[in-house]
Every structure is written in C-alpha cells, then in structure tokens.
Amino acid sequence: MFSTTAHFLRVILIAHVVLLMSCGGAAGGDGGGGSTSVTNNLVLNATRLTGVAPLAISFDTIGTTSTATSRPFHEVQYTWDFGDTGAGTWTYGAKAGSSKNVAYGPVTAHVFETAGTYTVKVISYDGFTTMTKTVSVVVTDPDTVFSGKTLCVSSTSTPTANTGGCPSGAAVQLVTSWSDLTNLSNTYKRILLKRGDSWTTTSSFVPKAGPGLLTAYGTGANPVVNMNDSGGAVYIPSSIADWRIVDVDFSATASKASPDTAAAEAASVFISGGSNTLILRSDISKLRNNIWVNGSSSGVYIFDSIIRDPWDNSLGGPIPVYMEDPRYLAFVGNSVYGGTQDHAVRLQGVINSVISNNTIVSAQARGHALTIRGSHSGLTSTELNNGTWNGVWTENVVVSDNILNGYPNSSTSQSPGLSLVVTNTNSGERLRNIVAERNLIKSYNYSATYSAVANNFTFRNNIVVSVGGMFGMIVESKNSNYTPAPSSSFLYNNTFYKSDGSSYVNGYTAIGISKSSIYGQATGTVMKNNIAYAPGNTKNGYTQDPRATFMGPSTVSSADYVLINNSTDLQVNSSKPWSSSSPSAAVDFTPAVSTYALSSGVSVPVWNDFLLKPLTPSSTRSMGAILN
C-alpha cells in the first residue's frame, strides 16, 4: 500500500467588515443582547477553481472569525449557492427532493457536471451580520480536453466511432481483459465503456496520470465490472490524481450467499493515497469493502451512488464503505445498506469533510450505520493497542441532512445510527470540531447516538427515534487510559422519541452523560431547547424506577453540565409535544399548537430548524428540532 499527502491549491478569500449593529444577540454566541460592534472575517477556501467536467470541489469557511462567537465553525450559519441551477435534486437523505445547488454548513462540496463558468457564493450569518463572498469556478468541456485522447471500448465487439453514442473522432477497441485499460490509459484519458457490457477480472485497472474519465456510452444499463480477486477493480495509487468514475457499476461473480475467499477481499475502487478521485452514480455490491480508502488520500468524492450488500463471509468485518485518513472527503447523496457483519460506513481520521444527504442503514446487529473515529494510521498493532496517539485529529467534519438507521431487524441489536467514538478502550484516537445537524437518526436498542468527541461538538436540530432503545444519546467518556473525556458538547433543539415501553426494553433516558473510571466525567455539556417523549416507560435508561428521564445518571455533578429549558421528566413520560399518534416522517414531529414545546424556547445560536426555516436572535423559539 502507498501513502502520501496530496497538496491542494488553497484559495483564501477574506472579507473584513466592522459594523455597528442594533439587534438581538451577543458576543459569545448566546443569542441575546443589544448594540455591539462586530468585526468579521469571512473566509472562503476551495480545493481548486478549474478542471474538466465532471468537476468535484470541496469548499469550506475554516478561518472565519466573528466577535459574536468564539466558535465560528459551529455558531455561524453558512449558506452556499453553487450557481449550478441545473444540478438536480437529492434522491436520498432527510431532505430528498431538495436542490443540489444549495448547501449549508462550514464544509461542503459540489460536482459540476456541465462545462461553463459558475459563481459560487457563500453567505454567513452570526446573529448580527450577514456577509457574502463569491468565487468563480471554470469547468472545461471533456470533448475539448479529451480530444484525441478518447477511447470507446466494448467487451463483445469493436465499437464504431460516431455510432451508438461513441463520439466522432474517438479511437475504438475490443477489450476483453479489464486490466488492459491500465496501459491504454497512458494514451487515452477518457475511456468510454459500452452500456450493457460486462467484464470479469482478477486484476485491477490502474489508471495513469490524470485528468481522466472512466464512464459509459450508448443506451441501456451501466457497464458492470465483476471483481473476482483481492485488490480493487480500479486501484488509485498515491501518485495518481484527478480521475473520475461515472456511471460504471461494480460487483463480484459469485453469489453473496456463498463467496469465495478472493472475491471477499476485493473492493470496487481502492484509493491508496491518490487525490481528487470522484465516484459518481455507481451501483456497487457484493465486495468485502465496496469502497476502500487509505493512505491519506486528499479529495475523495462519492456522490449519488448505491453501495450495498457486501460479502457475508467468514473473514469477518465486511463493511460497505471503509476509509482511513481521507482529507477533503465528500460522501454525499448515497444509499448504503445490506450485509450482516459490521458497520455500514466507517470513517477513520477524516479531516475537513462532509457527510450529507445520505440514507445509511446499519449492516448488522453490532454495527453502526455511520461511525466516525480517530486516526490510527502509521501505528503498529502494538502501538495501537497501547494507546499511542499519532498526533492526527479527526476534525472539521459536518454530518448533516442524513437518514441514519441503526440495524432494524433484531431485538438484541446494539446498533446506533450515529457514533463519534474511538475504536476501543486501548485507543489514543482524538476527535474535535464536529457538527451533526438536521439528521433523522433511528436505533433499535441501547443508544441511537454516541459521542466521544474530545472537544467542541455541536448536535442540533436532529430527530432521534429509539425503537426499544434505552438512550437517545450518550455523551461518552471511554474507559481508556489514553483518550480524554468529552468537553464542550452543545446539544440544542433536538427531538428525542421512544414510542412505548413495551418493545425490547422498558426504560429510557434521552441524554446520558457517562463517566470513565480512568478519565472521569464528561464535562461542559450544554443542553438547551431539547424535547423528549417516551410514554409507557416505567424505568429510566439505567433501569431505575419510576419513569423515563430526560438526563442521567442522577449522580452526575451539576458542575459538569448546563441544563436549560428542556423537557422535564414528567413531560418526557406524559406530555406528547406533537399531534401525530405515530410520528415517523420528520414533519410529524412539529410541535402542536397547544403543547408546552411551542414558542417556549430560549435563545441559542441556532439559525435554522430541521426544515431549514430561518431564525434570527429576535425569532420566537420553540423547543425541539422543528418549529411550527
């Protein structure tokens, strides 16, 4: 395996403004106050500003400052317009049907599929000041860039140029051996595979220097590559940059129920340190790790793909998506499901990354739908198990607008929808600066969400549904000699729900704050405007009488948390905050007119709700994720 750190073009655009404002909000981010002098620097970073279509780019606002808050990554709202009105809508996630041209948060990404010049705009709002910054992105035409470098390929017969979708002027070739594409990519940088064709291979296509494009031509189903050996059907080594894989499907030859060992070790695309790799609209199945990334790859973009049904095999640990140490990862608009042995999506050591608009269903009863963990690259197994930290933080990550569904088929499941944790009690991993917002999270036992984020975690506007679960969320201090207990966790305007006390476990606590015997209590947990409803539970999440509770355990010191304007324990048990008797869709959790949750919130630095309704410091606040 190869390892490298790819260096991106860093574009920094700074706006500096000093305004005297007279409106609600105050420095420090509590949202209240009067006149104040606000000095802002809005920073727009882009990983690149030009390239051939389809062009994937990461954007962020890291470096932005505001005197309104010491946490601008978390408490300034960023709204993006990519200037790409023809981008279409999302198919998956909590905002299915919403425009791909608009995004929210301090880290985002976009794929420009059509040549042209685009004005990308970000608007920041900190409760006082609205600021705008733009940048121009130039996307070049693949017909021009790849003129004289385009090859049409079929596995069954020699194609004809200017026929059946093969462009005029393209070279043509019958290719029956998939790995022959490796040498062909020395000359041809746009390789078009005939739709409806398939290849079975035991060897990888290892593309040569980019920019390059592997895609389909003609009509009908996507071309399919069946991998039947270890490695990847496409292998991107550390020296290779800027390849796009579009409308190509990957699978394995054997049936999922009776795999052979070699295919079970395979991956569709194995990225080992390469940079600017895009996978777009692929259906990937039956491989041990359908997508596998390691080696500090920089610029990994997985968009609009279906990633499903990894091998069920005796080797253990098949994971549909497994990534180690990617920088500028964008995992957006995908559907992930299937498998029986491990997590659905496992990300280690991600930096400056976004996971958004996905529907992810846990692979099995002990796996997690989405688990984000610390980096352990470069460590030996001895170091990994002795708490050595490699000095790399998982940081600057946004998890937004996803449906994260814990394993749905077992009463013994301990599968959360979202976990932000370290790998084990001997791990020295670290996580910080993470935002999880507007997600619909579901779990079928124990806890729907875990957070062991060491510093600066924001969890807001999420809807957390427990079907028989004991906890909606646990702020978790691991029993580790090496990982600090969480501090500075901000939990605002979330909705927690457990339907009744009869399924699996009769007991519920919305938010648990754990204590490690080694590192001590999680500290600095701030909870405001959260609502919870768990009727029919005669115990809390710690199996103690007489009822469900909002927070626990009772032994946690009040010096370690702030608890303001959340559901009381009595309300958790007996006061339904919405009208629906069986809420399932997000809108079902809208507070009813006559309930305690409506218009009863306190001011917090949250500038929209689950449905993206805008808020200002003077807005009437409600409790929970959705405003009425």
Side-chain angles (χ1 to χ4, degrees):
M1 297 182 182
F2 299 88
S3 177
T4 189
T5 300
H7 297 282
F8 278 70
L9 168 66
R10 191 78 166 166
V11 180
I12 301 179
L13 302 164
I14 300 177
H16 179 78
V17 59
V18 180
L19 296 175
L20 183 63
M21 303 292 294
S22 181
C23 62
D30 65 4
S35 298
T36 186
S37 177
V38 180
T39 302
N40 284 344
N41 289 286
L42 173 59
V43 177
L44 192 165
N45 302 311
T47 51
R48 51 183 171 173
L49 293 178
T50 188
V52 61
L55 180 66
I57 302 177
S58 291
F59 301 93
D60 67 66
T61 59
I62 296 168
T64 293
T65 60
S66 169
T67 57
T69 175
S70 61
R71 305 174 68 239
F73 188 88
H74 301 256
E75 296 183 352
V76 175
Q77 177 176 285
Y78 304 97
T79 303
W80 299 84
D81 183 325
F82 300 110
D84 187 6
T85 55
T89 59
W90 297 115
T91 301
Y92 303 108
K95 303 296 186 303
S98 63
S99 175
K100 295 179 181 178
N101 187 47
V102 178
Y104 302 87
V107 182
T108 190
H110 188 71
V111 177
F112 300 89
E113 293 199 54
T114 304
T117 299
Y118 299 85
T119 299
V120 177
K121 176 172 64 176
V122 62
I123 300 172
S124 68
Y125 178 67
D126 62 7
F128 294 98
T129 310
T130 297
M131 300 179 62
T132 301
K133 180 52 62 176
T134 62
V135 66
S136 182
V137 172
V138 178
V139 182
T140 53
D141 189 339
D143 288 339
T144 301
V145 172
F146 298 123
S147 177
K149 301 176 183 179
T150 297
L151 174 67
C152 292
V153 168
S154 172
S155 64
T156 57
S157 61
T158 302
T160 301
N162 202 28
T163 300
C166 179
S168 176
V172 295
Q173 191 160 333
L174 169 67
V175 175
T176 58
S177 175
W178 175 252
S179 60
D180 285 352
L181 296 181
T182 297
N183 288 329
L184 288 169
S185 68
N186 276 309
T187 302
Y188 301 107
K189 302 302 181 182
R190 180 168 64 167
I191 300 175
L192 308 180
L193 309 179
K194 185 180 179 182
R195 289 185 178 274
D197 280 10
S198 64
W199 286 260
T200 297
T201 184
T202 59
S203 301
S204 301
F205 163 42
V206 185
K208 303 302 181 180
L213 172 61
L214 178 71
T215 188
Y217 77 92
T219 59
N222 284 357
V224 179
V225 184
N226 294 300
M227 188 66 186
N228 200 30
D229 204 345
S230 59
V234 179
Y235 172 58
I236 309 291
S238 59
S239 58
I240 298 303
D242 206 15
W243 269 84
R244 302 136 177 83
I245 302 164
V246 182
D247 295 325
V248 179
D249 295 346
F250 299 90
S251 191
T253 53
S255 70
K256 177 173 171 288
S258 56
D260 61 83
T261 301
E265 286 290 321
S268 63
V269 180
F270 179 24
I271 305 171
S272 184
S275 62
N276 280 340
T277 303
L278 168 65
I279 300 174
L280 177 64
R281 291 191 300 272
S282 289
D283 186 319
I284 304 169
S285 65
K286 295 185 178 179
L287 300 160
R288 186 183 183 209
N289 299 125
N290 286 329
I291 296 177
W292 187 7
V293 177
N294 74 0
S296 298
S297 301
S298 191
V300 177
Y301 302 95
I302 316 296
F303 275 73
D304 295 322
S305 293
I306 299 173
I307 307 160
R308 59 187 175 87
D309 299 325
W311 281 112
D312 181 3
N313 69 86
S314 60
L315 297 176
I319 300 174
V321 179
Y322 182 75
M323 303 189 192
E324 293 184 20
D325 295 296
R327 276 66 171 162
Y328 300 103
L329 164 68
F331 191 81
V332 183
N334 305 292
S335 172
V336 185
Y337 63 90
T340 60
Q341 290 202 18
D342 220 312
H343 315 300
V345 177
R346 177 171 171 175
L347 309 176
Q348 305 261 174
V350 293
I351 297 174
N352 296 359
S353 297
V354 58
I355 301 94
S356 184
N357 295 102
N358 305 287
T359 297
I360 304 175
V361 180
S362 176
Q364 62 91 35
R366 68 179 178 86
H368 306 176
L370 171 62
T371 182
I372 301 177
R373 306 182 177 203
S375 170
H376 55 224
S377 65
L379 301 179
T380 66
S381 58
T382 299
E383 290 172 329
L384 182 62
N385 290 317
N386 287 332
T388 302
W389 180 39
N390 62 8
V392 178
W393 287 89
T394 287
E395 63 180 338
N396 303 334
V397 179
V398 174
V399 180
S400 62
D401 302 304
N402 302 286
I403 296 175
L404 305 174
N405 198 343
Y407 187 65
N409 298 318
S410 173
S411 62
T412 61
S413 166
Q414 295 192 27
S415 172
L418 173 63
S419 68
L420 307 164
V421 296
V422 299
T423 299
N424 56 52
T425 56
N426 293 320
S427 173
E429 300 167 14
R430 305 282 197 277
L431 298 87
R432 67 182 177 189
N433 226 32
I434 296 177
V435 174
E437 60 183 346
R438 300 185 307 274
N439 300 286
L440 177 57
I441 303 169
K442 184 177 288 188
S443 177
Y444 290 76
N445 205 336
Y446 206 67
S447 182
T449 309
Y450 291 90
S451 172
V453 178
N455 186 258
N456 264 325
F457 172 51
T458 296
F459 189 77
R460 64 180 171 231
N461 288 337
N462 299 284
I463 298 173
V464 182
V465 178
S466 298
V467 182
M470 300 167 68
F471 295 91
M473 179 179 192
I474 296 178
V475 180
E476 184 177 45
S477 182
K478 299 290 285 189
N479 282 316
S480 170
N481 286 308
Y482 315 104
T483 301
S487 66
S488 302
S489 298
F490 296 83
L491 317 180
Y492 296 146
N493 280 93
N494 299 289
T495 295
F496 297 93
Y497 174 57
K498 181 182 176 183
S499 56
D500 60 66
S502 62
S503 30
Y504 310 159
V505 177
N506 179 5
Y508 184 75
T509 294
I511 299 173
I513 302 177
S514 73
K515 182 176 182 179
S516 164
S517 60
I518 299 170
Y519 254 105
Q521 182 71 56
T523 60
T525 303
V526 179
M527 296 160 280
K528 297 182 181 182
N529 290 350
N530 301 286
I531 58 173
Y533 182 52
N537 286 263
T538 60
K539 299 180 183 296
N540 63 21
Y542 304 92
T543 66
Q544 299 166 329
D545 296 330
R547 63 170 67 93
T549 58
F550 177 78
M551 192 201 76
S554 58
T555 56
V556 63
S557 170
S558 60
D560 292 326
Y561 66 86
V562 175
L563 188 67
I564 296 176
N565 208 63
N566 305 281
S567 298
T568 66
D569 291 350
L570 185 60
Q571 288 169 337
V572 170
N573 286 267
S574 59
S575 297
K576 181 160 65 78
W578 42 78
S579 299
S580 174
S581 58
S582 300
S584 57
V587 294
D588 294 340
F589 294 94
T590 303
V593 173
S594 59
T595 64
Y596 72 91
L598 186 66
S599 303
S600 59
V602 297
S603 186
V604 290
V606 176
W607 309 119
N608 57 34
D609 74 345
F610 183 95
L611 300 176
L612 295 169
K613 180 178 179 179
L615 294 165
T616 69
S618 60
S619 296
T620 300
R621 304 284 177 139
S622 291
M623 298 168 65
I626 298 180
L627 302 176
N628 195 319

